[in-house]
Amino acid sequence: MLQMMIVQTIQAFVVLYLNMYFTHCMVLHQPDSVMAVDPGANVTLQCFFAENYTVYDMFWYKQIKGQQPFSIVKARAVADPIFHKGYLNTRFNISRSKKRLSLSIINISPWDEAVYYCGVEIYYDIEFGNGVFLQISSFNTAAVDPTERDYLKAVIIFLCNVIGICAVWIIFLCIRIKQQTALCPVSSVCSQQHFEVSHAKS
């Protein structure tokens, strides 16, 4: 009898666990798979869920092309949200209700192009939504790395210096040519007079 009760109790816990697992599996829904926006525009990314998750911590993750995803904000259940380093400015804001978590971004820039995932932490496990790709309409390539940007800046400065030196040499040569041109008639007259004097003596 005791063994039967133990078996039934274990079965009940197994059923409860499986029910909780499959209930929470893929419960976050992001309705847009791609959102194309222009630089300077404002956008709101939506994340919906079927259950009331106000007792759980929720997140927004960002994944730039070729990089690992990282958390940009943690919407805590009983406290103010925590924005991570680099996202502490007023361009990012979240709104949370019983069945929705929104991330608003104002004044969109090329650096915002990425895939954004909403997430919820349930029993030390984070479930993610399907993700939405935020595409900047006039920015079709990945954002330029700051190191590459500094290199391009140095190249531009170098080219400007070269062009400046070339311009100085061109001006110098033009002045020399102008001076030579001004002296040419005098030289011709002198040569002619010298020829006439030599011819008369002979």
Side-chain angles (χ1 to χ4, degrees):
M1 185 67 179
L2 180 60
Q3 293 180 346
M4 182 64 68
M5 292 180 60
I6 294 175
V7 171
Q8 290 178 350
T9 303
I10 294 175
Q11 290 177 345
F13 275 108
V14 170
V15 171
L16 178 62
Y17 175 81
L18 292 176
N19 183 57
M20 291 174 55
Y21 178 81
F22 287 109
T23 298
H24 294 301
C25 185
M26 298 300 293
V27 292
L28 302 179
H29 174 62
Q30 297 177 245
D32 302 300
S33 58
V34 179
M35 294 186 67
V37 296
D38 296 322
N42 303 332
V43 66
T44 299
L45 309 180
Q46 302 284 3
C47 178
F48 298 97
F49 30 92
E51 298 184 16
N52 182 1
Y53 285 153
T54 55
V55 296
Y56 299 114
D57 292 338
M58 302 195 70
F59 305 85
W60 275 102
Y61 278 77
K62 177 180 179 180
Q63 184 176 23
I64 300 174
K65 183 179 180 180
Q67 300 184 16
Q68 294 291 329
F70 55 91
S71 176
I72 61 177
V73 60
K74 178 180 181 179
R76 295 183 292 178
V78 293
D80 294 333
I82 299 176
F83 285 89
H84 294 270
K85 185 178 180 180
Y87 299 89
L88 298 173
N89 54 57
T90 56
R91 291 204 311 118
F92 296 86
N93 188 32
I94 63 170
S95 175
R96 179 174 180 173
S97 64
K98 291 182 178 181
K99 296 186 178 182
R100 180 179 58 85
L101 179 68
S102 302
L103 174 66
S104 298
I105 309 174
I106 64 174
N107 192 20
I108 290 291
S109 72
W111 306 99
D112 298 320
E113 182 170 279
V115 179
Y116 292 81
Y117 299 92
C118 62
V120 57
E121 184 178 4
I122 304 175
Y123 303 116
Y124 306 102
D125 184 29
I126 298 180
E127 298 287 345
F128 290 99
N130 47 298
V132 53
F133 175 52
L134 184 61
Q135 181 181 24
I136 311 305
S137 299
S138 59
F139 189 74
N140 297 324
T141 59
V144 179
D145 184 81
T147 303
E148 184 178 354
R149 186 182 59 209
D150 294 340
Y151 171 76
L152 293 175
K153 186 187 297 184
V155 171
I156 293 173
I157 293 174
F158 173 76
L159 291 177
C160 289
N161 291 333
V162 172
I163 293 172
I165 294 173
C166 291
V168 172
W169 273 103
I170 290 173
I171 294 173
F172 174 76
L173 291 175
C174 289
I175 294 174
R176 292 287 296 176
I177 293 172
K178 186 175 181 180
Q179 290 176 346
Q180 293 294 331
T181 304
L183 292 175
C184 279
V186 177
S187 301
S188 299
V189 171
C190 292
S191 299
Q192 184 177 0
Q193 289 178 351
H194 178 74
F195 174 77
E196 291 175 356
V197 169
S198 300
H199 183 71
K201 288 183 180 180
S202 60

